[in-house]
Amino acid sequence: MEIKYLGHSCFRIKGKNTTVITDPYAPELGLTLGKQTANIVTVSHQHAGHNFVEGIGGAPRVVTKPGEYEIGDAIIIGLSTFHDSEKGMIRGKNVVFVIEMDELSICHLGDLGVTLKDDEIEELGKVDILLVPVGDMSALNATAAARLVRQIEPGIVIPMHYKLPDSTHELEPVERFLAEMGSSPVMPQAKLSVTRANLPLPTQVVLLEA
């Protein structure tokens, strides 16, 4: 499996036969999504920085709601959560997606704005790769994100939703999360190639170039 970070909360997850893109963003975010195609697009919530599905080619199947979906080689489970600590009263709901593909389980937390309860973490199942927001403002901050990583205990954690040079969103820098994880500095890499056989122990932080 190959995972590439496209910026903000958007990733391209490319399996042997199925490609998933998470939370594609609109041009007004200031970042360049580029020409992307996919079989599946997941959308954690209906904000412009996360739901620009028209920017993705290939006539993908779009998944926006909680539930269980089997599409191609992927099984996708959507779990309803909140975008804020006031049970969605400020920013609404958020869907956490677990993507099971190529014998790996990838969890994309979207713009999760509240710490998950023990039963919610149990519902996620065993997470191999965790994509976690770390930039505060409209999602988890660095401290809360690091605490959640330690609760979930994935093999690999990849930060997202942090300040990028061209982004119009005012978010915290990723270095705060790296410091909380005790893994600073981390050299960014262009992409992550991973299989079940080479998952690390204990949890490893991977920083991907946008």
Side-chain angles (χ1 to χ4, degrees), residues 163-183:
K163 181 61 180 174
L164 293 171
D166 296 325
S167 175
T168 58
H169 273 47
E170 290 300 324
L171 300 171
E172 290 184 350
V174 70
E175 286 78 13
R176 295 185 183 179
F177 172 72
L178 299 179
E180 288 284 346
M181 290 296 297
S183 54

Side-chain angles (χ1 to χ4, degrees), residues 14-26:
K14 187 175 182 181
K16 292 177 182 176
N17 302 301
T18 303
T19 298
V20 181
I21 287 182
T22 66
D23 281 14
Y25 49 80

Side-chain angles (χ1 to χ4, degrees), residues 2 34 56 65 89 135 173 190 194 196 204-205:
E2 178 187 283
I56 308 300
K65 296 179 180 179
M89 294 298 292
V194 61
R196 169 151 296 283
Q204 177 182 334
V205 178

Side-chain angles (χ1 to χ4, degrees), residues 3 11 13 22 77 79 95-100 104-110 112 116 120 124-133 148 152 154 156-158 160:
I3 301 177
F11 291 85
I13 304 168
T22 66
I77 300 169
L79 305 174
V95 181
V96 167
F97 287 106
V98 177
I99 303 162
E100 297 179 358
L104 291 168
S105 176
I106 306 99
C107 179
H108 185 280
L109 292 175
L112 182 67
L116 296 177
E120 293 173 315
L124 296 178
K126 174 58 180 173
V127 174
D128 298 313
I129 303 166
L130 182 66
L131 312 176
V132 59
L148 185 57
I152 295 175
I156 294 171
V157 57
I158 305 176
M160 64 177 183

Side-chain angles (χ1 to χ4, degrees), residues 56-126:
I56 308 300
R61 173 85 176 270
V62 179
V63 182
T64 64
K65 296 179 180 179
E68 185 170 337
Y69 308 84
E70 188 169 351
I71 308 168
D73 289 348
I75 295 175
I76 297 178
I77 300 169
L79 305 174
S80 182
T81 57
F82 296 112
H83 199 330
D84 57 72
S85 58
E86 301 298 323
K87 295 187 176 180
M89 294 298 292
I90 300 172
R91 298 189 180 94
K93 290 188 176 181
N94 174 75
V95 181
V96 167
F97 287 106
V98 177
I99 303 162
E100 297 179 358
M101 187 168 65
D102 291 4
E103 300 183 325
L104 291 168
S105 176
I106 306 99
C107 179
H108 185 280
L109 292 175
D111 261 12
L112 182 67
V114 60
T115 301
L116 296 177
K117 299 176 182 177
D118 289 343
D119 60 330
E120 293 173 315
I121 292 174
E122 186 175 344
E123 199 171 354
L124 296 178
K126 174 58 180 173

Side-chain angles (χ1 to χ4, degrees), residues 3 28 35 59 73 105 118 137 143 147 189 193 205 207:
I3 301 177
E28 54 260 38
K35 295 182 69 174
D73 289 348
S105 176
D118 289 343
M137 307 307 174
T143 302
R147 185 184 306 119
Q189 55 193 67
S193 295
V205 178
L207 184 62

